[in-house]
Amino acid sequence: MTKNEQIRKAVIPVAGLGTRFLPATKATAKEMLPVVDKPAIQYVVEEAATAGLTDLLFVTGRDKTSLENHFDRAPALERTLTDKGSHEVVEELIALSHLADMHYVRQGNPNGLGHAVNMGRAHIGNVPFAVLLGDDLIDANTPVLPAMFDVQSRFGGSVLCLMEVDPSQTHMYGCAAVEETELPGVVRVTGLVEKPAPGTAPSNYAVIGRYVIAPEVFDILDTQAPGRGGEIQLTDALATLIDRPTEQGGGVHAVIFTGKRYDTGDKLSYLQSVVSLALDRADLGPDLRAWLIERLASDQ
Ligand code: UTP
């Protein structure tokens, strides 16, 4: 693939256990929790499709069949709705199976994000690909993938998405050391640390769940030792690519994201996503806003 060919393939890891959202996620995938009236993962798939990604590989695990069913046809349900005259709803449901070509691979043991991405090796082949974390929701009004694809086409290598966070939050993320480039909002990544101890982060730039990755990452992941938490960390593999700036597939840049993003695997951020996206909706926003104002006033 030359630098200017469009990126079409994505890996969407959804095999995590979702332990931060128990008990809701005991028997249900966290990616299937509804955000207003769609499961969180549908926003991610719609974002991918809008960005021109046509081939999506989900890395799934136990208890994720509802996710596969969501993007498949449902003949009995479609027939029942058609008999009732609900043609618009039927079309909406069928459209879900046409958003992209969807493929699935199981990660038998959730051994870390790097391990999950490496499950995509055979499917991806030798082309740069996107990774979208299934529990990271980026507001459709502030997309970031197109800018990341532009950066990859210009610099090659891999591209991260960084978001400035409060210094008190850096220990919850991968954090990047960066240098400016000639492009506003685009930086060169010179180092990465996974969940740095408080006060030790190289910057306030946190890595969020959108990546464009060079296929050379697979060779690195194949032989990489377990890192933090005993897991095969994607951050460690990206750090190796940073250390090889002149080699094929080496070098890492990043787009600084200033839009709206939610971690739907975190209870507070999940609630914020529901409220924020519902407030933006013409059918729900005005009534919800009025109710929230009343509800908050009654607290005071
Ligand atoms: P997280 O660490 O947020 O997911 O991983 P988790 O492990 O499900 O969450 P908690 O901490 O237990 O609540 C980020 C993404 O990587 C996927 C997750 O599904 C999530 O989308 N993941 C993580 C995998 O697919 N496999 C893994 O081994 C680890």
Side-chain angles (χ1 to χ4, degrees):
M1 171 159 171
T2 66
K3 271 196 196 170
N4 292 319
E5 259 175 79
Q6 170 91 47
I7 292 168
R8 296 284 181 208
K9 292 185 174 183
V11 174
I12 306 186
V14 291
L17 298 177
T19 56
R20 286 170 297 152
F21 222 128
L22 285 166
T25 49
K26 184 180 174 200
T28 306
K30 66 175 163 178
E31 296 82 5
M32 290 303 291
L33 295 174
V35 176
V36 190
D37 54 5
K38 299 193 263 190
I41 191 67
Q42 189 178 328
Y43 292 88
V44 177
V45 169
E46 288 171 346
E47 177 195 348
T50 303
L53 294 166
T54 53
D55 181 321
L56 310 182
L57 176 72
F58 291 92
V59 182
T60 70
R62 224 158 262 291
D63 299 325
K64 306 284 175 171
T65 31
S66 60
L67 189 150
E68 298 185 23
N69 290 341
H70 185 71
F71 293 106
D72 201 358
R73 296 290 296 271
L77 179 60
E78 288 167 21
R79 260 195 311 277
T80 307
L81 289 168
T82 305
D83 291 347
K84 285 187 180 166
S86 304
H87 301 291
E88 268 181 40
V89 184
V90 173
E91 276 176 23
E92 202 182 319
L93 295 187
I94 293 176
L96 288 172
S97 62
H98 296 313
L99 281 168
D101 288 334
M102 300 193 209
H103 308 270
Y104 299 88
V105 61
R106 293 268 293 226
Q107 184 190 19
N109 186 15
N111 213 359
L113 183 55
H115 183 249
V117 169
N118 207 18
M119 301 295 300
R121 178 177 200 140
H123 187 85
I124 297 295
N126 196 27
V127 291
F129 61 99
V131 173
L132 288 80
L133 298 194
D135 54 0
D136 250 25
L137 196 161
I138 288 191
D139 191 314
N141 295 314
T142 57
V144 72
L145 286 172
M148 294 174 71
F149 295 160
D150 285 350
V151 170
Q152 202 281 335
S153 142
R154 183 175 173 128
F155 295 103
S158 300
V159 183
L160 309 182
C161 181
L162 298 177
M163 187 181 74
E164 193 157 10
V165 297
D166 191 83
S168 65
Q169 307 284 298
T170 48
H171 67 281
M172 302 192 312
Y173 296 89
C175 284
V178 301
E179 276 173 3
E180 279 184 24
T181 66
E182 63 277 20
L183 300 178
V186 177
V187 292
R188 184 171 302 104
V189 181
T190 58
L192 276 180
V193 190
E194 183 61 30
K195 302 193 172 76
T200 66
S203 75
N204 296 334
Y205 286 126
V207 178
I208 61 170
R210 298 292 179 271
Y211 308 77
V212 179
I213 305 186
E216 284 73 13
V217 78
F218 294 125
D219 277 346
I220 297 169
L221 286 168
D222 266 353
T223 56
Q224 185 175 291
R228 203 175 182 286
E231 296 188 340
I232 306 292
Q233 297 285 355
L234 182 62
T235 304
D236 295 345
L238 292 166
T240 304
L241 287 172
I242 291 169
D243 290 340
R244 301 178 179 174
T246 56
E247 285 178 36
Q248 175 74 22
V252 177
H253 287 78
V255 169
I256 308 290
F257 176 69
T258 53
K260 290 191 210 145
R261 169 261 179 193
Y262 307 95
D263 175 359
T264 56
D266 171 80
K267 290 178 189 174
L268 178 61
S269 192
Y270 168 80
L271 289 171
Q272 289 165 342
S273 75
V274 176
V275 173
S276 182
L277 295 183
L279 284 173
D280 287 346
R281 288 256 301 242
D283 57 340
L284 297 166
D287 286 349
L288 178 63
R289 180 170 283 103
W291 180 82
L292 277 173
I293 291 169
E294 205 178 297
R295 174 69 176 74
L296 295 174
S298 76
D299 276 356
Q300 274 153 19

